[in-house]
Amino acid sequence: MTAPTSPILICPSCGKPNRVAPQNPLTKGRCGACQSTLSTGKPVDLTGTTLSTLLTRDTGRYVIDLWAPWCGPCRMMAPAFTEAAGHFADQVRFFKLNTEDHPQAAAQFNIRGIPTLIAYNSGQQAALQSGAMPQPQLFNWIEKSFGLMAS
């Protein structure tokens, strides 16, 4: 039996790649370049450049929330998404992409509506969900998307 490989996590602060041992909580991981925490327990805002690096180089678990400030359902789901980021911080990272500020970055997903959540695992899209979800449904979706045990 071979040991699991360490995923490559892109630092949300400086964009540098980092390896974190799979058995270690993500909140304990620090960037080797800038010493920032790799998982803060809060959603991190993405730019187009950071998104590109994340999608091409990152092999960890993360969720991207595609949203816009004018979107009522997006604003309604935001507290649940923030709560999920804190709850799952040791296992999954959470990012937000403002589709109004970064329309070209958002266009690559070909989404039809917002909010849209996209889960990535091991460098591949694991799940996609459009529409706002209440906290229990959001937690359940995250657990199923990544094969996590219900907490």
Side-chain angles (χ1 to χ4, degrees):
M1 180 196 248
T2 60
T5 60
S6 299
I8 296 171
L9 306 182
I10 299 302
C11 175
S13 296
C14 72
K16 300 289 185 194
N18 295 268
R19 288 199 182 270
V20 175
Q23 69 274 12
N24 291 345
L26 294 177
T27 52
K28 301 293 183 202
R30 293 223 175 258
C31 176
C34 73
Q35 298 304 308
S36 293
T37 304
L38 296 173
S39 180
T40 64
K42 295 179 182 169
V44 175
D45 291 319
L46 293 173
T47 64
T49 303
T50 309
L51 174 67
S52 178
T53 304
L54 194 68
L55 293 174
T56 58
R57 307 262 332 262
D58 198 292
T59 60
R61 294 177 178 158
Y62 59 93
V63 176
I64 300 173
D65 175 15
L66 294 116
W67 72 286
W70 50 261
C71 169
C74 297
R75 291 193 320 268
M76 203 168 56
M77 189 177 74
F81 191 74
T82 298
E83 188 177 340
H87 184 81
F88 294 102
D90 284 337
Q91 300 171 301
V92 180
R93 291 165 301 138
F94 290 77
F95 300 100
K96 295 179 76 70
L97 180 69
N98 182 333
T99 59
E100 188 171 295
D101 289 347
H102 305 284
Q104 292 81 13
Q108 68 186 306
F109 296 107
N110 296 317
I111 57 169
R112 300 270 185 247
I114 52 174
T116 292
L117 299 178
I118 307 173
Y120 285 88
N121 192 12
S122 300
Q124 302 295 317
Q125 183 176 312
L128 183 139
Q129 173 69 44
S130 291
M133 292 182 276
Q135 186 265 8
Q137 185 182 353
L138 175 61
F139 277 39
N140 185 267
W141 180 82
I142 293 164
E143 289 164 353
K144 285 184 177 181
S145 296
F146 297 107
L148 304 175
M149 299 298 291
S151 47

